[in-house]
Amino acid sequence: MKKGHQVTMKEIAKKLGVSVSTISRALKDSPELHPETKRKIVEMAKEMNYQPNLLAQSLRISRTKTLGVIVPEITSHFFASCISGIQDFANTRGYNIMICQSNESIDLEMANIKTLVSSQVDALLISLSRETNHYEHLLDLYNREIPFLLFDRVNEDIPVSKVTFNDVGGAYEVTKHLLENGCKKVMYVSGPEDLYISKKRKEGYMQALEDFGVEFDPKMVKISNLTTEGNIKIGQEIAEMKERPDGVFCMIDPVALDILAYWKEKGIRVPQDMALAGFTNNPSSAVVEPSLTTVAQPGYEMGKLAVTHLLDQLDGIASDDPISIVLDTTLLPRKSTEK
Amino acid sequence: MKKGHQVTMKEIAKKLGVSVSTISRALKDSPELHPETKRKIVEMAKEMNYQPNLLAQSLRISRTKTLGVIVPEITSHFFASCISGIQDFANTRGYNIMICQSNESIDLEMANIKTLVSSQVDALLISLSRETNHYEHLLDLYNREIPFLLFDRVNEDIPVSKVTFNDVGGAYEVTKHLLENGCKKVMYVSGPEDLYISKKRKEGYMQALEDFGVEFDPKMVKISNLTTEGNIKIGQEIAEMKERPDGVFCMIDPVALDILAYWKEKGIRVPQDMALAGFTNNPSSAVVEPSLTTVAQPGYEMGKLAVTHLLDQLDGIASDDPISIVLDTTLLPRKSTEK
């Protein structure tokens, strides 16, 4: 062995014919490995005069075993499910989590980051606020080498790992479902156009129309501001159209639920007069009558994958190179689209 | 003025004919006061040679302006509303909040307290886990003079301020509503008997029976373990009773919603065959058919009152002596009890 050469975990791994992550776990005395395996690895490391990276070591020692989580809103069932997934799998690995809510405000998002960093969390999991349109606070975190990851509401330009849903695919599935169930004129009720999910779900809607040879009609897209009043206004506009759609796909369940309540009041029958579908699978969607066809986004699964990847990075099991994890959604056909 | 006598805020307040809290706010340069008022108070304080309490001052200076919040579960719409109320009114006063979830586990509750205290939060707002049956961790906080307050799930023996709902009153109102709507045999479906709310809501149920001269029948109380399966089992037991009740009051909405779904499947009509009511006003209760009569607990209001009182104590506006704040609930009559 060359003098002055610093032995790496990779070299030990090669020598023993095991993976680098096994070496890493053995040197951290992980309970997941067989004691005999650990003993062999530790002996080999000694024999090869392995010197752990002291900087990384000192960082590891000063860990608080706490992760910070920032979500736009805790009252959302979806984000609450993400938090549960994050918490369960953080706890399994001996970490606790502290959660902050940005209330969809970029100022509060910045304040939350400051609060959590002052509390010396080891890393952060962040889902961006609706308002976040500049990213200095995130690039600052990155430059200060504070590990973090983005989930659900992400920005493509931040060089960290991201966990998102296949929004295009989900919207494609629900539009396809409406078309296959006999709808000829499917409308898309979108949220504000600059929202990431507004765009992605429209993309899926358009793709399905194209694949089914349906010409796109701009009158078949409406935009709600996502307030209850805004949603009801759209429901009213649709009711008053001369040529109504026969199927309506709403970007998120609350829009569909508000429209459904308004139509029921006005005697418009779902699905007989118009089929209706949402996206996100809010708890109310299953109990409303008719039950609402929607797309399930497994929030718990997203939280689990996000925290597991982040902790793998912290523990040196996963590479620090950012990756993109894309989760599939599931169409849940219910009575609101049965024609 | 006596030599060696330490002038208090109370004396300044008396001299100027204003309240102690106005003096306190002026000396903290609160933006809520008119600059002229502040100037007068500061001058009077100087003139009277007022010396602020140095210990309190140093504590104030070292503040992190962060509060810790511990709730049993974030996926509960009720606790999410509490958090929103806490956050909005903490932010108004320049504080940020960090939230931890105990997942109904006493071990995690203790770990959460440790995490938040290590993060040097200025004070804590805690709602106890279902499992919490000993209180050393809370008495330890108390002995270390770390300010905290209990809300919703409280223990009477901890000498700190508490914010709760009038559970007895809410259960009384809903039972009375069923009796007034013509029910002769009202059943109470409880959660596990050692739960605080199981007991309190039973108390209200019993009181209403007594006031209406209805004799208590032990067969008219059933106990669910609060899982979906457990709730459905109760729904089935009721359906199979020889002498069914004509009105059923469930301790919490999810129990009523599960029973309703089961009965609908079996062709039992609500309210015609049996009236049904819940408690907590979950979002699903308004959209289910028939809509569910329930009792609203204003979680946002609870959070607001809790954090405001705690910050008033921190700021010396409210006394440190523990108080008990009891919030009223509101009966929401809906179709499930219309006879």
Side-chain angles (χ1 to χ4, degrees):
Chain A
M1 202 150 290
K2 277 187 291 176
K3 212 179 158 181
H5 167 76
Q6 184 137 354
V7 176
T8 64
M9 284 202 265
K10 205 169 166 181
E11 285 164 345
I12 309 175
K14 206 174 163 191
K15 191 98 176 180
L16 290 171
V18 298
S19 71
V20 175
S21 75
T22 303
I23 304 293
S24 164
R25 280 183 288 162
L27 297 178
K28 265 180 263 145
D29 198 22
S30 159
E32 288 166 28
L33 292 186
H34 193 280
E36 183 55 20
T37 313
K38 283 195 273 192
R39 197 190 52 77
K40 271 189 196 154
I41 291 172
V42 170
E43 273 181 11
M44 179 58 76
K46 271 190 199 156
E47 194 179 303
M48 290 172 75
N49 197 22
Y50 170 73
Q51 301 284 347
N53 179 327
L54 286 183
L55 178 63
Q57 194 82 316
S58 85
L59 284 173
R60 196 169 299 141
I61 286 163
S62 73
R63 281 194 191 173
T64 57
K65 289 278 183 179
T66 304
L67 303 175
V69 180
I70 302 175
V71 293
E73 41 165 0
I74 270 172
T75 41
S76 139
H77 186 261
F78 168 71
F79 285 116
S81 308
C82 291
I83 290 170
S84 291
I86 292 172
Q87 170 145 7
D88 288 354
F89 286 83
N91 289 164
T92 310
R93 290 175 65 164
Y95 280 77
N96 203 354
I97 66 166
M98 294 195 292
I99 306 139
C100 286
Q101 178 183 238
S102 69
N103 261 350
E104 302 285 8
S105 141
I106 184 169
D107 288 341
L108 210 41
E109 182 175 290
M110 291 192 281
N112 287 339
I113 289 179
K114 214 172 138 190
T115 298
L116 290 169
V117 169
S118 308
S119 300
Q120 298 185 290
V121 292
D122 293 330
L124 293 125
L125 298 110
I126 305 173
S127 192
L128 300 176
S129 91
R130 199 170 283 166
E131 243 183 61
T132 303
N133 53 6
H134 57 89
Y135 306 96
E136 292 79 12
H137 52 305
L138 299 167
L139 293 169
D140 178 56
L141 267 185
Y142 181 77
N143 291 331
R144 288 161 70 195
E145 298 189 13
I146 296 168
F148 70 104
L149 167 153
L150 296 173
F151 68 99
D152 192 53
R153 306 258 203 95
V154 309
N155 175 275
E156 311 269 323
D157 299 334
I158 318 282
V160 297
S161 288
K162 295 164 195 86
V163 186
T164 52
F165 283 110
N166 183 354
D167 277 288
V168 179
Y172 181 93
E173 285 302 318
V174 72
T175 311
K176 177 174 167 240
H177 168 78
L178 286 163
L179 293 165
E180 283 178 345
N181 276 18
C183 294
K184 305 281 177 221
K185 283 194 295 182
V186 178
M187 172 178 280
Y188 171 53
V189 180
S190 171
E193 286 177 287
D194 51 337
L195 277 188
Y196 177 83
I197 57 169
S198 299
K199 288 181 218 159
K200 288 291 168 186
R201 293 180 190 172
K202 188 173 177 185
E203 224 176 291
Y205 162 78
M206 302 283 280
Q207 261 181 35
L209 292 187
E210 201 183 317
D211 286 1
F212 277 71
V214 179
E215 207 182 333
F216 171 65
D217 173 0
K219 283 197 296 295
M220 286 292 129
V221 173
K222 291 204 171 272
I223 292 160
S224 166
N225 63 4
L226 305 182
T227 63
T228 299
E229 297 70 37
N231 299 337
I232 290 174
K233 201 174 139 265
I234 300 292
Q236 192 181 352
E237 280 177 28
I238 300 172
E240 289 166 1
M241 279 171 88
K242 268 189 201 159
E243 291 188 53
R244 284 183 187 165
D246 50 7
V248 176
F249 158 42
C250 301
M251 189 183 79
I252 49 173
D253 281 358
V255 176
L257 293 169
D258 288 338
I259 291 179
L260 179 62
Y262 176 81
W263 285 355
K264 275 162 87 170
E265 216 183 280
K266 298 292 166 194
I268 296 173
R269 296 165 309 159
V270 172
Q272 296 87 337
D273 297 333
M274 286 183 268
L276 186 65
F279 203 115
T280 20
N281 194 26
N282 281 17
S284 294
S285 308
V287 302
V288 77
E289 281 191 30
S291 55
L292 186 71
T293 292
T294 186
V295 177
Q297 293 179 303
Y300 185 88
E301 193 65 17
M302 172 171 266
K304 171 190 161 178
L305 285 173
V307 77
T308 302
H309 174 66
L310 185 62
L311 289 177
D312 283 352
Q313 285 188 325
L314 279 188
D315 288 345
I317 300 170
S319 148
D320 286 339
D321 297 338
I323 60 165
S324 177
I325 302 174
V326 181
L327 275 84
D328 272 331
T329 56
T330 314
L331 179 73
L332 299 178
R334 296 203 184 110
K335 292 197 178 139
S336 68
T337 55
E338 265 176 23
K339 283 231 170 177
Chain B
M1 204 149 287
K2 276 186 291 176
K3 211 180 157 181
H5 167 76
Q6 183 135 355
V7 175
T8 64
M9 283 202 265
K10 204 168 166 183
E11 286 165 345
I12 309 174
K14 205 174 164 191
K15 191 100 177 179
L16 289 171
V18 299
S19 71
V20 175
S21 74
T22 303
I23 303 294
S24 165
R25 280 182 289 162
L27 297 178
K28 265 180 263 144
D29 198 21
S30 158
E32 288 165 27
L33 292 187
H34 193 279
E36 182 56 19
T37 313
K38 284 195 274 192
R39 197 191 51 77
K40 271 189 198 156
I41 291 172
V42 170
E43 274 181 10
M44 179 58 77
K46 271 188 198 156
E47 195 179 302
M48 292 172 75
N49 197 23
Y50 169 73
Q51 301 284 347
N53 179 327
L54 286 182
L55 179 63
Q57 194 82 316
S58 85
L59 285 173
R60 197 168 300 140
I61 285 164
S62 73
R63 281 193 192 174
T64 56
K65 289 277 183 180
T66 305
L67 302 176
V69 181
I70 302 175
V71 293
E73 43 166 359
I74 269 171
T75 41
S76 139
H77 186 261
F78 168 71
F79 285 117
S81 308
C82 291
I83 289 170
S84 291
I86 292 172
Q87 172 145 5
D88 287 353
F89 287 82
N91 290 164
T92 310
R93 290 175 66 164
Y95 281 76
N96 203 354
I97 65 167
M98 294 195 293
I99 306 140
C100 286
Q101 178 183 237
S102 69
N103 260 349
E104 303 285 8
S105 142
I106 184 170
D107 288 341
L108 208 43
E109 182 175 290
M110 291 191 283
N112 288 339
I113 289 179
K114 213 172 140 190
T115 300
L116 290 168
V117 169
S118 308
S119 300
Q120 299 187 291
V121 292
D122 292 330
L124 293 123
L125 298 109
I126 305 174
S127 193
L128 300 176
S129 90
R130 202 170 281 166
E131 244 183 57
T132 304
N133 53 6
H134 57 89
Y135 306 96
E136 292 80 11
H137 53 305
L138 298 167
L139 292 170
D140 178 57
L141 267 185
Y142 180 76
N143 291 331
R144 288 160 71 194
E145 296 189 15
I146 296 168
F148 70 104
L149 167 153
L150 296 173
F151 68 100
D152 193 52
R153 307 257 202 95
V154 309
N155 175 273
E156 311 269 324
D157 299 334
I158 319 282
V160 298
S161 288
K162 296 164 194 85
V163 187
T164 52
F165 283 111
N166 183 354
D167 276 288
V168 178
Y172 182 92
E173 284 302 319
V174 71
T175 312
K176 178 176 165 235
H177 167 78
L178 287 163
L179 293 165
E180 284 179 344
N181 275 18
C183 294
K184 305 282 178 219
K185 283 194 297 184
V186 178
M187 172 178 279
Y188 171 51
V189 181
S190 171
E193 286 177 286
D194 51 336
L195 277 189
Y196 178 83
I197 57 169
S198 298
K199 287 181 219 159
K200 288 290 168 187
R201 292 180 190 172
K202 187 174 177 188
E203 224 177 292
Y205 162 78
M206 302 283 280
Q207 260 181 35
L209 293 186
E210 201 185 316
D211 286 0
F212 277 71
V214 179
E215 207 183 333
F216 171 65
D217 174 0
K219 285 198 296 295
M220 286 293 128
V221 173
K222 291 203 171 272
I223 293 160
S224 167
N225 63 3
L226 305 183
T227 63
T228 298
E229 297 70 36
N231 299 336
I232 289 174
K233 199 172 141 267
I234 300 292
Q236 193 181 351
E237 281 177 26
I238 300 172
E240 290 167 359
M241 280 172 87
K242 269 188 198 159
E243 290 188 52
R244 282 182 189 166
D246 51 7
V248 176
F249 157 42
C250 300
M251 190 183 78
I252 50 174
D253 281 359
V255 176
L257 293 169
D258 288 339
I259 291 179
L260 180 61
Y262 176 80
W263 285 355
K264 275 162 88 169
E265 217 183 279
K266 298 291 166 192
I268 296 173
R269 296 164 309 158
V270 172
Q272 297 87 337
D273 298 333
M274 286 182 268
L276 187 65
F279 203 116
T280 22
N281 195 25
N282 280 17
S284 294
S285 309
V287 303
V288 77
E289 282 192 29
S291 54
L292 185 71
T293 293
T294 187
V295 176
Q297 292 179 303
Y300 186 89
E301 193 65 17
M302 173 172 265
K304 172 189 159 179
L305 285 173
V307 76
T308 301
H309 174 65
L310 184 63
L311 290 177
D312 282 353
Q313 285 187 326
L314 280 188
D315 289 346
I317 299 170
S319 150
D320 286 340
D321 297 337
I323 59 165
S324 176
I325 303 174
V326 180
L327 275 83
D328 272 332
T329 56
T330 313
L331 178 73
L332 300 177
R334 296 202 184 111
K335 291 196 179 142
S336 68
T337 55
E338 266 177 24
K339 283 233 171 175

